[in-house]
Amino acid sequence: MRILSKTLAAMAVGVVALGLAAGSAFAFTADQQQALASISAKLANLKTMHGEFIQFGPTGEKSQGKFYIERPGRILFDYDPPSKLKVKSDGKSVLVRDASMKTDDLWPLSKTPLKFLLDDQLNLAKSSRVRGVQVESDLIQVVIVDDAQFGGGTLTLFFDPSTYELRQWTVRDAQGLDTTVALYNVETGRPLSPELFKINYSGVTNRARERSLGD
């Protein structure tokens, strides 16, 4: 759980509300509603996305790497050396592999925040977890409160106001610690190799497989 919470929460909780469609409990202006609707429409039409990321941890530690997304269900975060960490989903399971520690953590996709990022049904405008929207000339900020995943937290997503593309997110966990992930050199719409998202289940340890089948 330690690796999962640090990795999946940092990389994916920033988009945890992108698939929720509960009735909104907050009243937003027409401009804010339009921004949320446009962001949701942009994400709903997004099938493939790849590029690079930089992650800043709560104590200033920095890591980076490449990411690949094919919706629905598939993702790969491949960290650059000296890290030997990979986070991969094949549409059914999420594998967190730390080659330096020789550990594999395997979880059902449905039990991780990644399920929201990879879901085809996106509606920020009707999500009850959207608690704030700020529309400015250079960015759109969307504040989301999530009480369900990994102890809860506050998420701030940053979108380009002209393209409505996701550029960055900051996760503030229940302890008040921030992790920021920024995306750059992003390309969308290009075919990605299925090999990127394959999980070699026969190579995953029995311990990891037991965790994936647990509660």
Side-chain angles (χ1 to χ4, degrees):
M1 185 65 170
R2 180 172 176 268
I3 292 176
L4 182 68
S5 61
K6 283 190 174 183
T7 304
L8 293 187
M11 295 305 303
V13 171
V15 286
V16 69
L18 299 186
L20 299 180
S24 177
F26 288 79
F28 297 114
T29 67
D31 286 346
Q32 291 170 330
Q33 286 282 7
Q34 187 275 328
L36 291 173
S38 296
I39 289 169
S40 297
K42 179 75 175 185
L43 291 168
N45 290 323
L46 179 66
K47 301 305 179 185
T48 66
M49 180 179 182
H50 71 279
E52 300 175 77
F53 68 87
I54 298 178
Q55 178 177 311
F56 297 94
T59 60
E61 66 273 21
K62 175 183 174 183
S63 55
Q64 61 190 47
K66 297 178 175 62
F67 74 92
Y68 307 85
I69 296 173
E70 183 175 6
R71 298 172 56 252
R74 294 172 177 84
I75 198 165
L76 170 64
F77 292 120
D78 190 0
Y79 286 72
D80 290 343
S83 174
K84 295 184 178 180
L85 191 65
K86 289 187 179 181
V87 180
K88 179 185 297 190
S89 171
D90 63 356
K92 181 179 67 175
S93 302
V94 177
L95 175 66
V96 180
R97 168 161 290 172
D98 188 340
S100 63
M101 301 293 293
K102 297 182 180 180
T103 58
D104 293 325
D105 288 278
L106 189 66
W107 305 83
L109 174 61
S110 62
K111 296 185 179 181
T112 76
L114 285 171
K115 66 181 179 183
F116 299 110
L117 168 61
L118 302 176
D119 196 338
D120 274 345
Q121 303 300 316
L122 309 173
N123 200 335
L124 283 174
K126 293 185 178 180
S127 172
S128 62
R129 300 189 183 184
V130 176
R131 304 297 174 84
V133 182
Q134 186 171 349
V135 181
E136 300 179 358
S137 61
D138 58 341
L139 59 84
I140 299 172
Q141 296 183 52
V142 179
V143 179
I144 297 163
V145 174
D146 177 34
D147 299 323
Q149 300 289 341
F150 301 111
T154 300
L155 324 168
T156 304
L157 294 86
F158 299 85
F159 296 88
D160 186 303
S162 60
T163 64
Y164 302 109
E165 294 176 348
L166 178 65
R167 294 303 187 194
Q168 179 176 308
W169 62 79
T170 296
V171 180
R172 174 162 292 177
D173 65 19
Q175 288 72 47
L177 301 176
D178 289 348
T179 297
T180 296
V181 176
L183 309 180
Y184 66 101
N185 292 337
V186 176
E187 294 187 44
T188 61
R190 296 182 61 179
L192 300 176
S193 171
E195 295 296 321
L196 290 169
F197 312 107
K198 282 189 175 180
I199 293 176
N200 178 16
Y201 287 94
S202 63
V204 175
T205 66
N206 288 334
R207 181 182 176 190
R209 292 180 68 83
E210 288 169 2
R211 280 197 296 272
S212 75
L213 300 173
D215 294 335

